[in-house]
């Protein structure tokens, strides 16, 4: 009789597990069709993606600050030139890591790099100009004498935020990529 009781318990446990599994499946199906749950899942993904981006961008910023210090402070380059070279090094690092880890993109790399280059065709001359104009001068414009670091740090922040938006909505916003997110 005890043997029959154990067998019955096993069958009940199996049915209970099947019921739980079925409920989980139904819950997942509901999540796939419930607009509020979909919204929460997407918001969580978006937040995680932004956090990943800014961690990588922070490391790129460290590269930019370190190389800027080397070029400007140690080697005595003019601020706009130190900014240009450190920006290029930072961009290469940032693009590579964000493509792979943040956006997990399999888009055509040369095409994506070209899109990023287009961003920097606009950002680089502008940032070089305001760096020079606010510090020691550039292209015939007399500088305002603001300390170079007081210009470089806000420039890093402007670059990080605008490039995140640009990469998210333009560079890695492929139709196929969108479906997988």
């Amino acid at each position: 009789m005890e043997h029959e009781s154990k067998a019955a318990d096993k069958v009940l446990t199996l049915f209970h597990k099947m019921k739980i599994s079925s409920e989980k499946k139904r819950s997942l199906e509901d999540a796939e069709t419930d607009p509020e749950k979909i919204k929460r899942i997407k918001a969580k993904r978006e937040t995680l993606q932004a956090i990943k981006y800014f961690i990588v961008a922070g490391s790129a910023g460290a590269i930019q600050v370190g190389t800027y210090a080397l070029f400007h402070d140690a080697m005595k380059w003019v601020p706009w030139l130190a900014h240009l070279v450190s920006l290029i090094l930072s961009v290469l690092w940032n693009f590579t890591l964000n493509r792979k880890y943040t956006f997990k993109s399999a888009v055509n790399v040369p095409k994506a790099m070209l899109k990023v280059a287009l961003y920097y065709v606009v950002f680089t001359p502008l940032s070089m100009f305001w760096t020079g104009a606010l510090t020691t001068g550039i292209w015939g414009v007399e500088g305002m004498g603001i300390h170079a670091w007081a210009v470089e740090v806000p420039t890093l922040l402007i670059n990080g935020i605008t490039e995140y938006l640009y990469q998210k909505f333009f560079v890695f916003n492929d139709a196929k990529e969108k479906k997988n997110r």
Side-chain angles (χ1 to χ4, degrees):
M1 185 134 151
E2 189 176 315
H3 179 65
E4 289 174 6
S5 175
K6 285 183 180 180
D9 285 343
K10 286 183 180 180
V11 169
L12 285 175
T13 302
L14 180 63
F15 281 126
H16 183 70
K17 286 180 180 178
M18 288 172 56
K19 181 181 176 190
I20 290 172
S21 176
S22 173
E23 287 172 358
K24 282 183 181 178
K25 185 177 178 184
R26 212 172 309 120
S27 176
L28 287 173
E29 289 169 353
D30 289 346
E32 290 173 4
T33 58
D34 180 10
E36 287 304 311
K37 286 184 181 180
I38 291 170
K39 231 186 232 185
R40 283 194 304 272
I41 290 168
K42 284 184 177 180
K44 193 174 183 178
R45 272 193 206 139
E46 299 291 322
T47 302
L48 183 60
Q49 186 181 65
I51 290 168
K52 284 182 189 178
Y53 177 86
F54 285 105
I55 288 170
V56 171
S59 69
I63 288 170
Q64 187 168 349
V65 166
T67 56
Y68 184 83
L70 173 69
F71 301 138
H72 176 263
D73 298 340
M75 298 173 71
K76 305 299 181 204
W77 290 11
V78 293
W80 68 266
L81 182 59
H83 169 74
L84 174 63
V85 176
S86 63
L87 178 65
I88 290 168
L89 296 172
S90 164
V91 167
L92 293 172
W93 174 267
N94 195 42
F95 172 81
T96 303
L97 292 183
N98 273 316
R99 182 187 67 79
K100 184 169 182 152
Y101 297 110
T102 302
F103 298 107
K104 296 180 179 153
S105 178
V107 298
N108 182 320
V109 174
K111 183 178 174 185
M113 287 180 107
L114 179 63
K115 288 179 177 181
V116 170
L118 291 173
Y119 169 85
Y120 282 101
V121 161
V122 174
F123 182 81
T124 302
L126 285 174
S127 63
M128 283 174 56
F129 178 75
W130 78 59
T131 298
L134 294 172
T135 59
T136 60
I138 186 171
W139 303 325
V141 175
E142 189 175 326
M144 295 174 65
I146 298 173
H147 193 278
W149 285 103
V151 176
E152 188 66 15
V153 172
T155 300
L156 280 166
L157 295 173
I158 291 166
N159 183 25
I161 293 166
T162 58
E163 188 178 9
Y164 170 71
L165 296 171
Y166 183 83
Q167 285 189 10
K168 178 175 181 51
F169 296 112
F170 182 65
V171 176
F172 299 116
N173 192 20
D174 197 35
K176 292 177 199 168
E177 297 281 313
K178 223 175 182 181
K179 284 181 186 176
N180 294 334
R181 288 184 194 165

